[in-house]
Amino acid sequence: MNKFWIVLFHTYISKLKTKSFIISTAITIGLVLLVTNLGSIISLFDDGKGDEPDKIAVIDQSKQLYPAFAQQVKLADKDKEIKIFKAKKSEKELEKDIKDEKLEGVLLLDRDQKGELTATYKALDVADSTAVSIFKQAISQTKIVVGTAELKVPQEKLHQLFTPVEVKKVALKEGAKSEEELQKATGLVYVVLFVIYISVLMYASMIATEVATEKSSRVMEILISSVPPIQQMFAKLFGVALLGITQLGALFLTGYLSMQANQEKATGMGDVIKGFFDVSGVPVATLVYGVIFLILGYFLYATLAAFLGSVVSRIEDVQQTISPMILLVVAGFMIAMFGLNAPDSPFITVTSFIPFFAPMIMFLRVGMLDIPVWEAALGIGITALTIVILAVVGAKVYKGGVLMYSSGGGWKNIKQALRLSKDQ
């Protein structure tokens, strides 16, 4: 057992010191800091003008539309991003003010021969669609207001007619999540799914590459003379798992401390990010399931990657050999993304019991729905059993595969590895 721990910590320390790990961790930490401080960073480039609304002049060529239009703009522009005023200058003078950056734009309002409203917006460029979107909404409402006024429809009746009806959602099923709980659970599920997806791709591929690298350098021949191949395999699995915990721990700690430091400054984008990661009110059981399925997902694919890596002799062949595994991970993630909008669909229910999809899709159902405990337990059991089977078969493949130096990979090499393991 001492040899197991030696290989485990050797794998962990050696990977921890590599330039690729340090650089990737530093870059990812930088991205975390960028995201959690995005609101503050954006404000730095506003030069103090970020709080000032854009000034836009309105020329009412019909002499009738401006009062109703101004009222509708006020209702549509809830964030007060633009400030309109009735123009007293000519169109040419206003265009000059725009070029001199005294104005953001000018809007021309009119009615054609049929009485239809027309609008033309002029600005230095039209890349920013915020004002245009507000104007479209306001003009549509102005058209209704003006039209109903001509038909002598009372404004009170008009307001009642166009006031949106709020639909309250009430779940009758006992234990079903409320709308607020479901919103928070969706954010948590998305984060955990993404962590599972990235972790499996990154660390499982790392294990396969590590084994292939040792074989290509003939270090494996020295290792197997002192440490049994099966101990090597599981020592590497746990060593890389410890590396993953270190990296993810650093990322989450950085993100948490950054959000705490910006708690008082959090506005706009900062509030959105903070709300997305807010797990208050999420059941503890959901968090526990998240950890369980993350661990299961890692060991499921890491075990598969270890014995796939053991049947290749060149680093160049690793990606080709593990590509079916990567396709399984991608497929599971894509199904889970679909399931976020329809977690109770029969397709999601069925795929949640398929071992290679269960870590992501069963957790999706646990987080989004109130499913029976036996279903979650069955998903965990099926995945755990698959890991045991992969570990038993994988250990035999690993035992024979580490002594193989034939080119390529595939089923032919796996069968040959199994035959070699029996002869040992």
Side-chain angles (χ1 to χ4, degrees), residues 308-359:
L308 286 177
S310 69
V311 297
V312 298
S313 304
R314 300 185 307 167
I315 301 175
E316 294 83 358
D317 297 329
V318 172
Q319 290 301 319
Q320 181 181 352
T321 305
I322 67 173
S323 58
M325 179 194 76
I326 293 175
L327 289 176
L328 282 174
V329 179
V330 173
F333 184 73
M334 296 303 293
I335 294 171
M337 289 299 99
F338 163 77
L340 284 172
N341 297 319
D344 56 348
S345 68
F347 176 70
I348 295 298
T349 302
V350 171
T351 51
S352 68
F353 293 102
I354 298 176
F356 291 100
F357 299 151

